[in-house]
Amino acid sequence: MANLESAIDCAFWDQSISTPKTLEGSAQSVPGEPFPLDGARASKALRIQQLSLLRNGFPLGIIPSMSPPSHKDLGSFSLQSLLLTPSASNWWLGLIGQFRPKKLISAIKTELQSADELELPVLRDAAKHFLDKSLYSIALATQLSLSPSTSLLWSTERQGEKKGYRNKFKIYHQLPDHDITLDAAWPELFMDHKGKYWEVPESISLGMSSLPSDSGFLYRFGLHKNSGPPQAFNELDGEAPPALMPGLCAKVALSYQKSKDIWRRKETKEDIIIKTDKGSFWRPSYDMRLKEPHAAISGIMGVMCAAWFGKDSTNFRKLYGDLTRVDARLDIFSLSSFAKRVFKGSSSADKSLLSPRLNLIFQQQVAGPIVFRVDSKLLLDSKAGKRGPHIEDVIYSLCYSLRLLRSGKVVAWYSPKRKEGMIELRLFEF
């Protein structure tokens, strides 16, 4: 159910996405945005661990990758290799090297074509291009197990064509029923739903999550702090996602997930051992999780609450087109009574009191601090002379936000149903 868990993970800051933009091999998705394709989720194995295994299947242990660099002359094609892997019983260290050959090949080709004869000075000048630092990138990572339940991970990398280092630090601690993680990165790389990359100068996260249980209930709590304005990575312009702006955010999420087999055929001895004229052969499944043919249905539902603290948010500042908001809430006053009506057809004296209602709020900026708002309530039931859902109530409002009060506004509203209207001062409502 990894693809279902993405819906919860992407709301926090630990939804890693595979990318060759970094030698670490991953970037973070922007919290709160539509979650990426399940195939884009980064591997649970660290990049150094991946290379340690993959190099056994590639010539000279060199693994290719492609990613557009900040300078086009470097080329998208690159070669990676694990250069160093010392380890002990509770500690290991790894060194990754990356080389981009296009610029070197082009420079040497130009050097040789411009020479009349292949003399020693020409070869010496061509060899100097190997010393171009922009061709090489390097990353160093180490992990230390402080105890059977606590580990520490630190990594740093330097891209040849860029200045400065990318650093990451992580502490992981496992409790009997929970995981606690502390992550820090400077800078941290994020990717939004449009495929654009953003660098946040400093990103720190503290999270606690419950472990999967038979009940299906999971919960998470997280604190996250961004420092410094986000910058477009290899882009000249663009507006950064609001979730990456400086500030402190607290999030809580609850979820319930279940998977039910429609049918499943258990693995048998005949599946594992194949008998032929030459004898019996062991034929295990390529993936142990797929060893039994089956059909299943899975589902997840959950809620999340988030609170931002900080004065550096950028929403709702421009004169036009800076606020469009839609809120929805479903109210069911009595779940048991509603279930009886649906499955048993029972009725009550006034069934509309027990009918579910859908509350919708639409807000649109008109100009500057002026916002038009419509609050509506839909009764999801039939009514005399009407069939299906219909509007039960609606209120139209015009709001003028007052910066002086920080979170205050003057509201003029009118209710056609009650034929009432008034002007109010409201505080700390949004």
Side-chain angles (χ1 to χ4, degrees), residues 343-378:
F343 297 106
K344 297 183 179 180
S346 60
S347 60
S348 60
D350 188 358
K351 63 180 181 180
S352 66
L353 295 177
L354 303 177
S355 298
R357 287 166 169 80
L358 179 63
N359 295 271
L360 296 173
I361 302 175
F362 172 75
Q363 298 181 70
Q364 176 62 56
Q365 180 186 29
V366 179
I370 302 175
V371 175
F372 175 72
R373 171 170 172 161
V374 179
D375 293 65
S376 60
K377 182 185 295 183
L378 278 72

Side-chain angles (χ1 to χ4, degrees), residues 261-277:
D261 286 344
I262 300 175
W263 64 269
R264 179 182 293 269
R265 186 177 69 82
K266 295 293 184 180
E267 186 180 41
T268 63
K269 185 178 179 179
E270 289 74 17
D271 295 327
I272 302 175
I273 300 177
I274 304 300
K275 294 181 179 180
T276 67
D277 297 337

Side-chain angles (χ1 to χ4, degrees), residues 19-28 70 137-141 153-169 184-191 197-203 231-234:
T19 176
K21 286 286 187 184
T22 65
L23 296 186
E24 182 197 17
S26 66
Q28 304 299 110
S70 55
S137 300
I138 194 167
L140 181 68
L153 177 67
W154 172 81
S155 65
T156 184
E157 67 178 68
R158 171 72 183 269
Q159 296 284 344
E161 75 276 18
K162 290 183 173 291
K163 296 182 179 180
Y165 292 85
R166 185 183 303 279
N167 305 284
K168 279 199 172 185
F169 176 81
W186 58 100
E188 180 67 281
L189 186 66
F190 289 87
M191 189 186 81
Y197 290 90
W198 302 89
E199 272 191 342
V200 174
E202 183 180 280
S203 177
Q231 301 291 330
F233 188 80
N234 294 348

Side-chain angles (χ1 to χ4, degrees), residues 34 88 106 116 208 238 278 362 388 409:
S106 298
D116 297 331
M208 183 183 73
K278 298 182 180 180
F362 172 75
K409 57 186 177 182

Side-chain angles (χ1 to χ4, degrees), residues 12-25:
F12 286 78
W13 287 267
D14 55 1
Q15 175 68 79
S16 297
I17 301 173
S18 294
T19 176
K21 286 286 187 184
T22 65
L23 296 186
E24 182 197 17

Side-chain angles (χ1 to χ4, degrees), residues 108 143 150 186 190 199 230 232 262 309 325 343 388 406:
I108 293 178
Q143 183 172 2
T150 306
W186 58 100
F190 289 87
E199 272 191 342
I262 300 175
F309 307 92
R325 179 171 178 171
F343 297 106
R406 300 186 64 182

Side-chain angles (χ1 to χ4, degrees), residues 169-400:
F169 176 81
K170 180 174 184 176
I171 294 180
Y172 171 81
H173 181 68
Q174 186 175 14
L175 298 174
D177 299 314
H178 300 82
D179 286 338
I180 298 177
T181 57
L182 173 64
D183 292 90
W186 58 100
E188 180 67 281
L189 186 66
F190 289 87
M191 189 186 81
D192 61 21
H193 69 285
K194 299 178 181 178
K196 289 187 177 181
Y197 290 90
W198 302 89
E199 272 191 342
V200 174
E202 183 180 280
S203 177
I204 302 175
S205 299
L206 175 64
M208 183 183 73
S209 60
S210 62
L211 297 179
S213 62
D214 295 335
S215 66
F217 283 100
L218 295 172
Y219 55 88
R220 300 186 61 178
F221 170 77
L223 288 173
H224 184 84
K225 183 177 185 297
N226 286 334
S227 299
Q231 301 291 330
F233 188 80
N234 294 348
E235 296 283 346
L236 298 178
D237 55 6
E239 187 173 353
L244 302 184
M245 292 301 173
L248 177 66
C249 181
K251 289 189 177 184
V252 177
L254 303 173
S255 66
Y256 175 77
Q257 61 183 35
K258 276 294 182 181
S259 180
K260 183 70 175 178
D261 286 344
I262 300 175
W263 64 269
R264 179 182 293 269
R265 186 177 69 82
K266 295 293 184 180
E267 186 180 41
T268 63
K269 185 178 179 179
E270 289 74 17
D271 295 327
I272 302 175
I273 300 177
I274 304 300
K275 294 181 179 180
T276 67
D277 297 337
K278 298 182 180 180
S280 299
F281 296 91
W282 184 49
R283 190 182 65 175
S285 172
Y286 291 112
D287 191 323
M288 61 175 296
R289 297 173 301 173
L290 303 176
K291 64 182 180 180
E292 298 177 343
H294 67 281
I297 183 171
S298 304
I300 184 173
M301 61 180 181
V303 295
M304 187 198 70
C305 179
W308 281 93
F309 307 92
K311 61 182 180 179
D312 295 319
S313 174
T314 63
N315 287 342
F316 196 35
R317 290 176 180 267
K318 299 179 181 179
L319 290 177
Y320 301 100
D322 204 26
L323 176 65
T324 299
R325 179 171 178 171
V326 179
D327 297 86
R329 188 184 77 244
L330 179 65
D331 295 335
I332 301 177
F333 295 95
S334 175
L335 186 60
S336 59
S337 299
F338 177 70
K340 289 179 181 179
R341 290 182 53 201
V342 173
F343 297 106
K344 297 183 179 180
S346 60
S347 60
S348 60
D350 188 358
K351 63 180 181 180
S352 66
L353 295 177
L354 303 177
S355 298
R357 287 166 169 80
L358 179 63
N359 295 271
L360 296 173
I361 302 175
F362 172 75
Q363 298 181 70
Q364 176 62 56
Q365 180 186 29
V366 179
I370 302 175
V371 175
F372 175 72
R373 171 170 172 161
V374 179
D375 293 65
S376 60
K377 182 185 295 183
L378 278 72
L379 183 63
L380 304 181
D381 204 342
S382 59
K383 184 180 179 183
K386 297 182 179 179
R387 280 193 172 185
H390 57 274
I391 297 178
E392 186 180 50
D393 197 2
V394 63
I395 293 178
Y396 302 97
S397 307
L398 203 60
C399 311
Y400 187 94

